Amino acid sequence: MPTVIFVHADGRQTEREVPAGTNLMIAATGSGVEGIVGDCGGVMSCATCHVVVDEAFADRLPPAGDTERQMLDYTAMPRQPTSRLACQIVMSDDLAGLRVRIADPQL
């Protein structure tokens, strides 16, 4: 099963196995990863699952859609070049070892 490394604002790292086909917001909230809120449940209406994808993985993800790009304009932490919503990153074997920094603050 592929793993994801969530990097917290204080530098701590939390590694989780995430089944292929599961989005990172669900994986994080379902396994107690601090900092990923996911208030809207993954329907792109809150942006509380904002993460910054490690540059080494950014090109492996499909481009953000219009709604995701709009939501990233309203994040509590300023948008970064590789900012994404965790609810829109669907885990696959190709993403094994993915590193994402949890945006701080989310709210």
Side-chain angles (χ1 to χ4, degrees):
M1 188 176 311
T3 60
V4 175
I5 300 165
F6 295 93
V7 181
H8 301 268
D10 64 4
R12 286 180 300 120
Q13 297 183 18
T14 302
E15 186 172 323
R16 293 289 189 263
E17 290 185 340
V18 179
T22 303
N23 76 53
L24 294 190
M25 187 275 300
I26 293 292
T29 58
S31 66
V33 175
E34 297 172 21
I36 302 287
V37 180
D39 276 341
C40 72
V43 297
M44 288 191 293
S45 65
C46 72
T48 61
C49 65
H50 179 197
V51 295
V52 180
V53 176
D54 185 284
E55 288 184 14
F57 289 90
D59 290 340
R60 297 185 198 183
L61 298 175
D66 291 339
T67 303
E68 181 179 4
R69 285 194 305 273
Q70 290 172 353
M71 288 307 302
L72 287 167
D73 288 337
Y74 298 102
T75 56
M77 183 186 102
R79 183 180 186 168
Q80 305 296 307
T82 60
S83 285
R84 296 296 300 265
L85 298 180
C87 66
Q88 298 304 297
I89 301 173
V90 177
M91 197 60 187
S92 68
D93 290 333
D94 292 340
L95 295 175
L98 173 65
R99 293 175 59 86
V100 296
R101 182 170 46 96
I102 300 170
D104 183 45
Q106 289 284 4
L107 302 172

mmCIF file of all heavy atoms in Angstrom, residues 2 5 23 31-33 38 69 83 92 94 103:
data_model
loop_
_atom_site.group_PDB
_atom_site.id
_atom_site.type_symbol
_atom_site.label_atom_id
_atom_site.label_comp_id
_atom_site.label_asym_id
_atom_site.label_seq_id
_atom_site.Cartn_x
_atom_site.Cartn_y
_atom_site.Cartn_z
ATOM 1 N N PRO A 2 0.592 2.230 -0.840
ATOM 2 C CA PRO A 2 1.433 3.430 -0.899
ATOM 3 C C PRO A 2 1.334 4.254 0.386
ATOM 4 O O PRO A 2 0.324 4.220 1.087
ATOM 5 C CB PRO A 2 0.886 4.205 -2.099
ATOM 6 C CG PRO A 2 -0.466 3.659 -2.360
ATOM 7 C CD PRO A 2 -0.505 2.272 -1.810
ATOM 8 N N ILE A 5 3.562 11.085 3.427
ATOM 9 C CA ILE A 5 4.184 11.740 4.578
ATOM 10 C C ILE A 5 3.576 13.126 4.698
ATOM 11 O O ILE A 5 3.702 13.952 3.785
ATOM 12 C CB ILE A 5 5.710 11.820 4.424
ATOM 13 C CG1 ILE A 5 6.283 10.409 4.302
ATOM 14 C CG2 ILE A 5 6.332 12.582 5.593
ATOM 15 C CD1 ILE A 5 7.701 10.362 3.803
ATOM 16 N N ASN A 23 -8.791 9.659 -1.303
ATOM 17 C CA ASN A 23 -8.210 11.003 -1.325
ATOM 18 C C ASN A 23 -7.504 11.291 -0.001
ATOM 19 O O ASN A 23 -7.805 10.691 1.030
ATOM 20 C CB ASN A 23 -9.227 12.075 -1.731
ATOM 21 C CG ASN A 23 -10.211 12.444 -0.653
ATOM 22 O OD1 ASN A 23 -9.856 12.788 0.472
ATOM 23 N ND2 ASN A 23 -11.490 12.399 -1.002
ATOM 24 N N SER A 31 -7.532 8.986 9.960
ATOM 25 C CA SER A 31 -6.450 8.344 10.721
ATOM 26 C C SER A 31 -5.812 9.300 11.730
ATOM 27 O O SER A 31 -4.719 9.050 12.212
ATOM 28 C CB SER A 31 -5.385 7.798 9.767
ATOM 29 O OG SER A 31 -4.722 8.852 9.082
ATOM 30 N N GLY A 32 -6.506 10.404 12.024
ATOM 31 C CA GLY A 32 -6.053 11.286 13.091
ATOM 32 C C GLY A 32 -4.873 12.179 12.789
ATOM 33 O O GLY A 32 -4.167 12.588 13.703
ATOM 34 N N VAL A 33 -4.648 12.503 11.522
ATOM 35 C CA VAL A 33 -3.565 13.425 11.186
ATOM 36 C C VAL A 33 -4.001 14.834 11.592
ATOM 37 O O VAL A 33 -5.001 15.342 11.089
ATOM 38 C CB VAL A 33 -3.210 13.370 9.683
ATOM 39 C CG1 VAL A 33 -2.170 14.428 9.333
ATOM 40 C CG2 VAL A 33 -2.709 11.985 9.307
ATOM 41 N N GLY A 38 -10.893 19.508 6.895
ATOM 42 C CA GLY A 38 -11.872 18.903 5.994
ATOM 43 C C GLY A 38 -13.308 19.161 6.403
ATOM 44 O O GLY A 38 -14.142 18.260 6.339
ATOM 45 N N ARG A 69 -8.927 25.571 -8.017
ATOM 46 C CA ARG A 69 -8.105 26.789 -8.132
ATOM 47 C C ARG A 69 -8.804 27.975 -7.468
ATOM 48 O O ARG A 69 -8.165 28.778 -6.787
ATOM 49 C CB ARG A 69 -7.788 27.091 -9.597
ATOM 50 C CG ARG A 69 -6.736 26.158 -10.179
ATOM 51 C CD ARG A 69 -6.184 26.657 -11.511
ATOM 52 N NE ARG A 69 -7.202 26.914 -12.511
ATOM 53 C CZ ARG A 69 -7.694 26.008 -13.349
ATOM 54 N NH1 ARG A 69 -7.232 24.771 -13.321
ATOM 55 N NH2 ARG A 69 -8.614 26.338 -14.235
ATOM 56 N N SER A 83 0.387 24.474 -4.068
ATOM 57 C CA SER A 83 -0.772 24.301 -3.179
ATOM 58 C C SER A 83 -1.847 23.470 -3.870
ATOM 59 O O SER A 83 -2.113 23.646 -5.059
ATOM 60 C CB SER A 83 -1.374 25.652 -2.799
ATOM 61 O OG SER A 83 -0.594 26.321 -1.857
ATOM 62 N N SER A 92 -2.451 6.928 -5.480
ATOM 63 C CA SER A 92 -2.197 5.842 -6.436
ATOM 64 C C SER A 92 -0.810 5.285 -6.137
ATOM 65 O O SER A 92 -0.024 5.903 -5.401
ATOM 66 C CB SER A 92 -2.253 6.362 -7.876
ATOM 67 O OG SER A 92 -1.164 7.236 -8.119
ATOM 68 N N ASP A 94 1.612 5.250 -8.070
ATOM 69 C CA ASP A 94 2.592 6.190 -8.634
ATOM 70 C C ASP A 94 2.967 7.299 -7.655
ATOM 71 O O ASP A 94 3.992 7.957 -7.829
ATOM 72 C CB ASP A 94 2.053 6.832 -9.916
ATOM 73 C CG ASP A 94 1.912 5.844 -11.055
ATOM 74 O OD1 ASP A 94 2.561 4.781 -11.011
ATOM 75 O OD2 ASP A 94 1.135 6.138 -11.979
ATOM 76 N N ALA A 103 -0.883 22.995 5.440
ATOM 77 C CA ALA A 103 -0.938 24.449 5.523
ATOM 78 C C ALA A 103 -1.259 24.883 6.953
ATOM 79 O O ALA A 103 -2.081 24.259 7.627
ATOM 80 C CB ALA A 103 -1.993 24.983 4.569
#
